[in-house]
Amino acid sequence: MILQNFIVFEGIDGAGTSTQLDLLKQSRDAERFLFTAEPTGASTGLYLRQMLKGDIPLTNETAAYLFAADRNEHINGRLLIEGNRLITGVAEACRTGKIVVSDRYLFSSLAYQSINCDPAVPRTLNSSFPLPSLLFYFAIEAEPALARLGTRSYREIYEKKDFLDRVVAEYRKILDEYRGRDEGMKIIVLDAEKPKEEIRTIIWKEIAARYHLAVC
């Protein structure tokens, strides 16, 4: 099932998804959008963020279940908005006519959680969630992506070259799989090493064409 008005940015750590989300907030039609991310700002997501920092050790299977639980709150939970930031309630927000843009979604679980646990676990847990109408994948290799994180004061548990090399390979397989399904989700692959303003222009043209917005 496709969730209309739902847009997702995907890519490995350091791909630039958060940067582009911030740039989109500056668009002339920003009032039509709500911006969100996974893990969420709900209690489930805050717990996961502690796990990602290495503060809470969990098995890979447990992490997969928790990401899915947080995603269920994100999509199906009550509508909770702070300014232009959507915490939970994506489905309800989309039904009201808002365009919801999320930094990460179920494709992250399929790519990341499939590395060190049975891939059937994240696939089963995420099988009932709706697909976005637009999926932007930020294509970049692990080494340049990690270089962008070099000045940060800490590294999350997945931010390791060998691991991210495998995640990149998983993302490629996932994109190929969903292209083959032809379920109505449009997939746009971006060269994430291009200048951010060039990437911004490509993203905005795709969104503007779909939602009849002015081209910046």
Side-chain angles (χ1 to χ4, degrees):
M1 182 182 75
I2 298 294
L3 182 56
Q4 299 300 330
N5 297 334
F6 187 35
I7 300 170
V8 170
F9 291 175
E10 281 284 358
I12 63 171
D13 304 80
T17 56
S18 299
T19 296
Q20 290 301 324
L21 200 75
D22 289 339
L23 289 172
L24 193 55
K25 292 175 184 178
Q26 302 169 24
S27 67
R28 69 177 68 180
D29 292 297
E31 72 280 354
R32 291 192 57 184
F33 293 81
L34 288 172
F35 302 94
T36 190
E38 292 189 358
T40 68
S43 56
T44 47
L46 296 176
Y47 186 86
L48 279 167
R49 291 186 186 279
Q50 287 183 277
M51 183 274 290
L52 290 171
K53 290 181 179 180
D55 296 338
I56 303 173
L58 298 172
T59 68
N60 296 303
E61 289 77 9
T62 298
Y65 275 92
L66 287 173
F67 276 110
D70 185 50
R71 184 162 298 122
N72 190 62
E73 284 300 304
H74 194 206
I75 298 297
N76 301 315
R78 67 186 181 93
L79 189 62
L80 181 57
I81 302 171
E82 296 177 356
N84 64 356
R85 179 177 173 236
L86 178 66
I87 310 300
T88 56
V90 170
E92 185 174 349
C94 289
R95 285 194 294 268
T96 69
K98 284 290 188 180
I99 303 167
V100 179
V101 187
S102 182
D103 184 357
R104 296 189 179 281
Y105 186 47
L106 64 86
F107 311 98
S108 287
S109 283
L110 298 181
Y112 280 76
Q113 267 68 62
S114 293
I115 303 297
N116 290 324
C117 75
D118 183 349
V121 174
R123 284 185 172 275
T124 300
L125 291 170
N126 290 281
S127 61
S128 64
F129 292 116
L131 297 176
S133 54
L134 281 177
L135 170 62
F136 291 94
Y137 174 66
F138 290 61
I140 190 171
E141 297 298 327
E143 190 169 349
L146 285 171
R148 295 176 174 180
L149 306 176
T151 58
R152 203 168 68 185
S153 59
Y154 69 92
R155 285 283 177 94
E156 292 185 346
I157 59 172
Y158 297 139
E159 293 173 355
K160 301 170 184 175
K161 183 181 181 302
D162 290 348
F163 184 85
L164 290 180
D165 282 338
R166 297 171 68 188
V167 174
V168 169
E170 287 296 324
Y171 265 125
R172 288 172 180 155
K173 289 193 289 185
I174 291 162
L175 293 176
D176 286 343
E177 176 187 340
Y178 277 94
R179 284 192 193 97
R181 290 185 182 185
D182 191 25
E183 295 187 66
M185 174 179 66
K186 184 174 183 180
I187 300 172
I188 301 99
V189 177
L190 303 165
D191 180 351
E193 294 194 70
K194 287 185 175 181
K196 64 182 181 180
E197 289 298 333
E198 186 174 341
I199 296 171
R200 178 190 190 184
T201 298
I202 295 169
I203 291 172
W204 183 254
K205 283 183 177 178
E206 287 284 351
I207 294 174
R210 178 169 288 256
Y211 296 105
H212 310 291
L213 304 174
V215 176
C216 295

